[in-house]
């Protein structure tokens, strides 16, 4: 019975001490290095006024771009005003909002969809999901909580949030991560407008690419991409880029830009716009004494210690590595294409690009592009 009454006796004693003159000063106050105004002197709603040191979280670069397979640093630094004499124990959390879900500036709804990338406190840290083992904090100086991502992947693009937490203080900053690469239109071997949203996503993946985001397609349009067939984007919209207005592509009276069908039902069928970043290996045209059908082309690359190249790899090699070859060759999807960086006679149109012969019958004879 005495053990049950002990907490009540202690509480009563503390209450009596508080009633004595100066009793409030006899109870040790919690001190975390900040000053909080007493609740009783607040606004009557139990609000605590914070009158102490302020935490600031900043990034000198609101957007960072990198290439696939490389390492990238997303800058994030924090400091106090005024500065503290002794360092405090803070917690940092990095989270990520994928590019295909970004439709507006930072909002509570967007924050709720964020995925945890890494949390750290002191020397302890933990990474999550596909980022596990690929991320770390730079910590090059006091207050440096910059995130280093290794082996950058196509799907790593998006908005990253650096959140620093210190007691009741919680401040954050966001950094956009973009990949340098190339957008290319892609359609099924069966013909135009044969992909639903899920099929378009898979088709791009099969070609070592990913569905392009709106921002990536917009950049491609700014760089001159003109394509009069509507295709899926990563956010579930269907659009196409026009630099030269004409009949059948929105009309001659409509200004150049991205033509948009808006959000479409995922089972409706269109083409796809894929995005490919840098390739880790090398794409090359195989020197072979004779032309090859598709089956022979696959075997020829294998015999050369390689594999037949994918469409996304050819586009990336053309745009990012300057691959220029005026010889049509088989690719892994059964299409025949060739890359031109310096336009010239007998090599197609007067501008650079990847020329396509479509999907010829498998028995026709061409060269082949391999990937090693």
């Amino acid at each position: 019975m005495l053990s049950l009454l002990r907490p009540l006796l202690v509480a009563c004693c503390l209450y009596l001490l508080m009633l004595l003159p100066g009793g409030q000063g006899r109870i040790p106050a919690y001190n975390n290095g900040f000053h909080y105004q007493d609740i009783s002197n607040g606004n009557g709603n139990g609000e605590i006024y914070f009158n102490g040191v302020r935490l600031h979280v900043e990034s000198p670069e609101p957007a960072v771009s990198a290439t696939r397979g490389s390492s990238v640093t997303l800058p994030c630094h924090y400091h106090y005003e005024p500065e503290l004499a002794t360092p405090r124990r803070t917690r940092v959390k990095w989270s990520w909002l994928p590019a295909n879900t970004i439709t507006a500036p930072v909002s509570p709804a967007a924050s709720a969809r964020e995925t945890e990338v890494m949390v750290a406190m002191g020397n302890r840290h933990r990474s999550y999901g596909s980022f596990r083992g690929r991320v770390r904090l730079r910590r090059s100086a006091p207050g440096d909580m910059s995130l280093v991502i290794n082996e950058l992947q196509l799907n790593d693009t998006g908005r990253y949030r650096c959140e620093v937490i210190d007691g009741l203080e919680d401040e954050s900053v966001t950094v956009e991560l973009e990949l340098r690469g190339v957008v290319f239109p892609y359609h099924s071997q069966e013909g135009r407008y044969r992909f639903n949203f899920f099929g378009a996503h898979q088709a791009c993946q099969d070609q070592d690419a990913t569905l392009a985001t709106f921002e990536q397609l917009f950049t491609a349009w700014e760089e001159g991409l003109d394509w009069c067939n509507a295709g899926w984007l990563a956010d579930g919209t269907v659009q196409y880029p026009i630099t030269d207005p004409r009949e059948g592509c929105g009309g001659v009276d409509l200004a150049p830009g991205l033509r948009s069908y808006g959000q479409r039902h995922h089972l409706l069928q269109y083409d796809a716009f894929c995005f490919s970043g840098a390739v880790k290996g090398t794409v090359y045209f195989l020197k072979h004494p004779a032309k090859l059908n598709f089956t022979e082309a696959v075997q020829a690359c294998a015999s050369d210690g390689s594999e037949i190249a994918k469409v996304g790899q050819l586009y990336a090699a053309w745009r990012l590595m300057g691959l220029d070859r005026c010889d049509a060759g088989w690719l892994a999807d059964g299409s025949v294409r060739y890359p031109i960086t310096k336009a010239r006679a007998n090599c197609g149109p007067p501008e650079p690009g990847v020329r396509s012969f479509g999907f010829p019958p498998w028995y026709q004879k061409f060269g082949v592009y391999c990937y090693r």
Side-chain angles (χ1 to χ4, degrees), residues 175-217:
V175 182
E176 300 278 350
L177 174 60
E178 303 170 347
L179 254 63
R180 294 192 293 271
V182 56
V183 172
F184 60 94
Y186 190 75
H187 65 85
S188 169
Q189 188 171 358
E190 299 175 357
R192 300 285 184 183
Y193 293 178
R194 299 297 181 94
F195 295 137
N196 61 32
F197 176 75
F198 308 103
H201 177 79
Q202 186 61 52
C204 290
Q205 279 198 336
D206 291 343
Q207 298 311 312
D208 199 30
T210 185
L211 268 179
T213 65
F214 170 83
E215 291 79 9
Q216 289 165 346
L217 183 63

Side-chain angles (χ1 to χ4, degrees), residues 31 34 41 64 142 145 163 174 268 311:
N31 182 8
F34 295 85
N41 295 327
V64 175
M145 293 296 173
E163 183 178 13
T174 60
L268 293 177
V311 177

Side-chain angles (χ1 to χ4, degrees), residues 285-304:
F285 184 81
L286 180 65
K287 294 181 180 179
H288 197 272
K291 299 293 185 181
L292 308 163
N293 64 36
F294 179 72
T295 303
E296 293 168 341
V298 173
Q299 183 57 49
C301 287
S303 299
D304 200 47

